[in-house]
Amino acid sequence: MAEPTANSRPHLCLVDHSYHKTTASNRFLLDLLGRGAELTVLHDQQWNGGPPVTARAINAVNADAVVFFQIRPQRALLARLRCRNLTWVPMRDDISTRSKRWQKLRPFGLKIISFSGEIEELAEAAGLACLRLRYYPPALKLIPSRGPAPTVLWWYRHADISLPLVESLIGEQTIAELIIRHAPDPGQPVLHLPKDAYRRWPIREVHGWLEPEKYRELVEPATHVIAPRLIEGIGLPVLEAMARGQCVIAANRPTMNEYITHEDTGLLYEPETPKQIELAAGAGCGQRAHEQVTQGHARWQSESSDILPFILQRIERRNPLVAIHRLRNDIRD
C-alpha cells in the first residue's frame, strides 16, 4: 500500500454500524476525519440480521488506513486485509474486558483510540498503541431557569432503565412533569406505562425519532435528564444535556462517571441498589456541567488534531512496546 504523498489527501476506510445513520452518534468523528482525508464508509448490518462488512469490500477501497468504529474487528478478518494500517475505536458499552482477547490483537499492529479510561488501561496492558481522548460537544446557550419544580426527561432507550428504576430515583418528590421519549434501541421491548403512573406524576410522552427542532422543543424544558443506559460508549445524550446546562442523573458506571462528579456536575446512583436521589441536590449542577463542557470542548478541539496523524502512523509489529513509545513521540512532535 503506497503512502499518501504530501500533495494528496489520505484515503481512509471507516467500518461502522449502519444504525449510526439513524442515531448520528458518529457524526463528530466523520466530520473531523473528513476535513483532512477522503473518507469511504462501509456499513455493517449485523445488528439487524444483515450482512457484515467483508475483507473483500474493505480491500476494494484500497485505503491508506482502515478504521473500525465500535465494530469489533475479528482476527480472521484482520488477517485477510491488504491494508496493514489498522485502528479500532472501541466503545466501553460494547467490549470484552478479558485481557487475553486484547492481547491477541497485538500481532496485527492494531491501534486504539480510546474515549474511556478503562479502555485505555486494557489497551496498554495488552501492549497496543492507544490515543486517549475525551470528547466534549460545543456548549449550548444556557437556559438559567425552567420553573419552580423539577421537570425530568427520560429517554426510554434500554430496558435496564425501567419504570421501577425511575420511580425509585424520583421517589416521593414533587415534579412538574415527567417527559418520556419512547425510542428504544433495536431489540429492546416497547415500554407500556401502567395507569397508576399517570396518577403519580404529570406525564408527557413522545414516540419515535424527531426532527432537530422538535427534539429541542422536547428536551429544553427539562431541569434533570436521566441517562438512558447503564453503560455508555461516549454518552452523547449525557454530554448534550450537560451542554444545555441540565442536571444529569446517571448510573455510577462508565463513561458517565468519567464526566460527572456526584452533586457537583450531576447526580450518580448505584443501579444495583437504586434509591431516591435528591433532585434538589442538583441545584447548580447544570451550571457547573455547562462550564465543564465549555472548557472541555476547547481541549477537545486541540487534542482532536492528534487523531488523523495517529491513524496514519503505522505500528511496527516486530516490537510493539518500542513502537508505541515511538508513535507517541511522533504524534506530539
Side-chain angles (χ1 to χ4, degrees):
M1 186 75 56
E3 296 290 341
T5 66
N7 296 324
S8 67
R9 283 161 58 89
H11 189 183
L12 305 183
C13 176
L14 182 74
V15 182
D16 192 9
H17 284 297
S18 61
Y19 185 54
H20 291 153
K21 291 191 288 185
T22 299
T23 65
S25 59
N26 61 352
R27 176 51 55 189
F28 76 98
L29 186 63
L30 294 179
D31 290 344
L32 189 151
L33 295 178
R35 290 195 291 269
E38 298 296 328
L39 194 60
T40 297
V41 181
L42 302 179
H43 288 111
D44 190 290
Q45 304 277 353
Q46 291 185 92
W47 64 271
N48 64 352
V53 173
T54 64
R56 176 178 294 182
I58 296 173
N59 289 336
V61 176
N62 197 33
D64 300 301
V66 178
V67 180
F68 297 89
F69 184 77
Q70 188 167 352
I71 297 286
R72 287 175 284 181
Q74 302 298 316
R75 287 178 292 157
L77 173 68
L78 297 176
R80 294 196 295 270
L81 296 182
R82 289 200 301 267
C83 180
R84 299 300 187 184
N85 194 356
L86 309 172
T87 301
W88 180 27
V89 188
M91 294 291 114
R92 177 58 185 83
D93 59 320
D94 190 35
I95 62 165
S96 168
T97 56
R98 295 172 59 185
S99 59
K100 288 185 178 180
R101 289 192 176 184
W102 289 74
Q103 292 167 0
K104 290 177 180 179
L105 297 173
R106 188 166 59 182
F108 299 97
L110 192 69
K111 296 168 291 183
I112 304 295
I113 294 177
S114 168
F115 289 95
S116 166
E118 290 190 12
I119 289 177
E120 179 184 26
E121 292 174 3
L122 287 165
E124 294 195 338
L128 302 174
C130 181
L131 178 64
R132 173 72 166 102
L133 298 167
R134 181 169 290 192
Y135 173 71
Y136 282 94
L140 303 174
K141 182 179 179 181
L142 184 64
I143 303 174
S145 177
R146 295 179 174 88
T151 296
V152 180
L153 172 67
W154 170 30
W155 171 8
Y156 172 70
R157 182 174 180 181
H158 196 286
D160 285 344
I161 310 294
S162 63
L163 180 61
L165 175 60
V166 172
E167 290 176 332
S168 297
L169 296 176
I170 298 177
E172 300 303 319
Q173 298 169 99
T174 298
I175 62 173
E177 188 177 36
L178 175 64
I179 305 171
I180 303 177
R181 177 192 179 195
H182 296 264
D185 284 349
Q188 293 300 308
V190 174
L191 173 67
H192 297 287
L193 297 181
K195 291 182 179 180
D196 61 353
Y198 299 94
R199 293 193 292 267
R200 188 167 188 177
W201 310 297
I203 293 177
R204 176 156 54 102
E205 298 177 83
V206 177
H207 293 263
W209 294 89
L210 303 173
E211 295 297 323
E213 186 59 35
K214 292 293 184 181
Y215 181 69
R216 284 193 293 271
E217 292 176 2
L218 175 71
V219 301
E220 285 186 351
T223 57
H224 295 68
V225 174
I226 298 174
R229 297 198 295 173
L230 294 183
I231 297 178
E232 288 285 0
I234 296 177
L236 293 184
V238 170
L239 293 174
E240 289 167 359
M242 295 173 71
R244 290 190 295 267
Q246 294 164 317
C247 177
V248 175
I249 302 169
N252 186 18
R253 298 290 183 272
T255 55
M256 291 86 74
N257 59 6
E258 297 182 21
Y259 287 98
I260 295 173
T261 301
H262 183 56
E263 295 188 355
D264 180 25
T265 53
L267 301 173
L268 298 174
Y269 65 89
E270 298 300 331
E272 289 82 6
T273 55
K275 59 184 178 180
Q276 179 173 306
I277 192 162
E278 297 305 316
L279 300 178
C285 287
Q287 172 75 46
R288 291 187 291 271
H290 187 270
E291 294 169 358
Q292 177 178 322
V293 171
T294 301
Q295 298 167 6
H297 182 65
R299 289 194 302 271
W300 162 254
Q301 288 182 304
S302 173
E303 294 173 355
S304 62
S305 62
D306 291 340
I307 293 180
L308 187 56
F310 181 84
I311 289 172
L312 294 175
Q313 184 68 53
R314 290 191 181 189
I315 277 285
E316 297 177 20
R317 300 188 177 195
R318 288 175 297 177
N319 193 333
L321 296 178
V322 172
I324 291 169
H325 179 73
R326 186 176 303 161
L327 177 61
R328 285 178 172 162
N329 289 339
D330 290 345
I331 295 296
R332 293 297 181 183
D333 287 346

